[in-house]
Every structure is written in C-alpha cells, then in structure tokens.
Amino acid sequence: MGTAAATIHPSASSRVRLVLGVFKLRIGVMIMITALAGLAVTPGPSLSAVQWLVLAFSVLLSSASAGAFNQYYEYESDRRMARTRNRAFATGALQPTPAWLGVIGALLAGSVVATWTVVNGVSALFVFLGAFFYAVVYTVWLKRRSWLNIVIGGLAGSFAVLAGAAAVDPSIGPLGLLLALVLFLWTPPHFWSLAIANQKDYADAGVPMLPVVVGPERAARVVFASTVLLVVASLLPAWFGAGPVYLAGAVVGGAFFIVKARRLASHPSRATAMGSFFGSLVQLGLLLLAAGIDGLIR
C-alpha cells in the first residue's frame, strides 16, 4: 500500500524538480550570463553589488517566466514530440491551471519593477522585451505560422545583452549593440541544428521549422552559411574596443562551430546535427566567457 501511494503521490523533492523544470532554468542561466556579458563589455561607471545582483536575478526570473509560459501554452503540442513529451504539463504531472498565469505574470512584473527601481528604466524595458518576445512573439504568434519563428524569437537573447549594456550606459554603445547582434545571429544556426536532428518531431507537431519547410539538406547548408555570418559578426567588436581575450574567444569558438556546421552541411544526419548544436553551445560559451574576462581586465 505504501509503495502504491508513493507512486501516485510524488515526493516533495520530485515535485520541486517538476516545478523547477517548468521554468527552463538552464536556459535562464544562459540568458542571465548574456546580460552580464553585455554589462561587462560596456564602458562606463561600475555598478554596485546590489545592482549586479538585481540585474542578474531579474533577467533570470523574466526568462523563467517566459519559459514557463512556453510550456503552459504548448503543453498539448509538447505531447506530440519525443523531445518534449515528458515535460510536466505535457504528462499531466502538473496541471496548467490559470493560477500558473498569475505566477508567470508576478515573476515578470517583479523582475521589471526591480530592474527599474534599482538599475534604470531602459534596462527594465529590455528585461521585459526579452520575455515578451519569447513568450508572445515566438510562442504565440510565430512558432506555428512561419519558418522565421526562431529568427525573430531569437531577439529574446539580444534583449538580455541590451539589458546588461543599458545598466551601465542607457544610451548603449557599439560594443553592446554588436554583442546583441551576435546573439541574434547565433540563435538560428543553434536552433536549426537541433531542428534538423528532431525534424520528424516538428513535422508531427505541425511546427514549420526550417528543416520541415525546405528539407534537412537545404537547411544544413543554411546552418553553415548562417554560422559563417555569425562568426564574422562576432569578430567585429575587436574593432570597437574589445580586447585580445575577447578576440581569442571569438576565433577559437567560432572556428569550432564552423567545423561542426561544415560537417553537417556535407553529411546531414542526426549525429552531425547534434554535433553542430553542441558546437553552437561551445562557441557561445567561449565568447561570453571571453567577453566577461575582457571586460574585467580592461
């Protein structure tokens, strides 16, 4: 009897993991790091420790609210995809009740108000826009309507960079704008690589990701071309004040991603697509790390 009850009623720790999974915290942490990179590369007065913490956690919480809304809104289609069918709302482990919208709205409102109060209004605007573009523009408006869904939805990451840059200088200089451009160009080859690996899932769910619309071979060539464009753009900050550490990170990470994307274009398969996806994570990780170090030592 005790075993059966334990099966029906998950433990408190399991339920906490379910709830945390709804908020896509791993993505949120990455978005938070991009905001801190935007802050680090922007010349200007130093922020206080409190301002740093408020900016970091506000971006994390706004991203978490958008991630939760994505799962709340998409739970039925998530059931049709192998990659997402085990999400808490999709399995029924958590019920998508209206109360979740209250939690999501409170997280977003709290993050925007905190940034406005402790940092500045321009940074708060970008914190809001990052969540809005992922939750509404991408999830609600574009995901099922256009293969450009992830291109425009990728502005969510760019707004995080701009939130960090605006925290130092609301007028936002060229380094902040260029790093935001890099994040905008990074999202398509990153996500399209994953979409090639999971093409059948997206086709079954009726989501017009690029590989579903044009086929995996052509999509793989687009991934390679967009990766080259991304890497070229990632080098531009070196001409606007970014130092040698940043440039080294951009070159090494960019070269790695190009090699992986080239293999995908030459031999499209799930394995090479996942290799390209992994390459995108390495490229962004090295770039953000180098940007942070470069900003600290300048």
Side-chain angles (χ1 to χ4, degrees), residues 73-90:
Y73 188 83
E74 292 277 298
Y75 77 93
E76 291 184 342
S77 62
D78 280 348
R79 292 171 178 167
R80 299 196 289 270
M81 297 179 62
R83 189 174 67 86
T84 57
R85 66 171 57 126
N86 291 322
R87 289 175 173 174
F89 290 143

Side-chain angles (χ1 to χ4, degrees), residues 66-286:
F69 180 82
N70 175 268
Q71 291 201 39
Y72 178 93
Y73 188 83
E74 292 277 298
Y75 77 93
E76 291 184 342
S77 62
D78 280 348
R79 292 171 178 167
R80 299 196 289 270
M81 297 179 62
R83 189 174 67 86
T84 57
R85 66 171 57 126
N86 291 322
R87 289 175 173 174
F89 290 143
T91 62
L94 295 176
Q95 295 300 313
T97 62
W100 276 99
L101 292 178
V103 172
I104 291 166
L107 284 176
L108 178 57
S111 65
V112 172
V113 170
T115 307
W116 189 296
T117 303
V118 179
V119 185
N120 62 57
V122 177
S123 186
L125 174 63
F126 288 129
V127 168
F128 168 77
L129 287 175
F132 177 79
F133 263 72
Y134 185 75
V136 179
V137 176
Y138 168 67
T139 300
V140 177
W141 291 346
L142 292 176
K143 186 173 181 179
R144 298 185 172 279
R145 290 180 172 86
S146 170
W147 65 269
L148 289 171
N149 46 22
I150 202 62
V151 177
I152 299 171
L155 282 169
S158 300
F159 285 129
V161 174
L162 295 175
V168 178
D169 179 6
S171 65
I172 307 178
L175 284 175
L177 292 172
L178 286 171
L179 193 58
L181 173 64
V182 169
L183 263 292
F184 176 70
L185 294 175
W186 176 82
T187 304
H190 163 75
F191 205 91
W192 285 336
S193 296
L194 184 64
I196 292 171
N198 297 281
Q199 180 193 2
K200 185 178 185 303
D201 265 4
Y202 286 108
D204 290 345
V207 179
M209 288 297 174
L210 184 67
V212 176
V213 175
V214 304
E217 292 80 11
R218 187 175 175 187
R221 294 193 296 271
V222 173
V223 166
F224 176 67
S226 57
T227 300
V228 172
L229 180 61
L230 159 68
V231 173
V232 170
S234 73
L235 301 177
L236 294 179
W239 278 264
F240 290 88
V245 176
Y246 173 85
L247 183 59
V251 169
V252 173
F256 184 79
F257 191 8
I258 284 176
V259 168
K260 294 294 185 179
R262 179 60 184 166
R263 288 177 183 170
L264 171 60
S266 300
H267 304 286
S269 68
R270 177 174 174 79
T272 56
M274 290 307 297
S276 180
F277 176 76
F278 174 72
S280 71
L281 295 175
V282 170
Q283 186 267 343
L284 183 62
L286 285 175

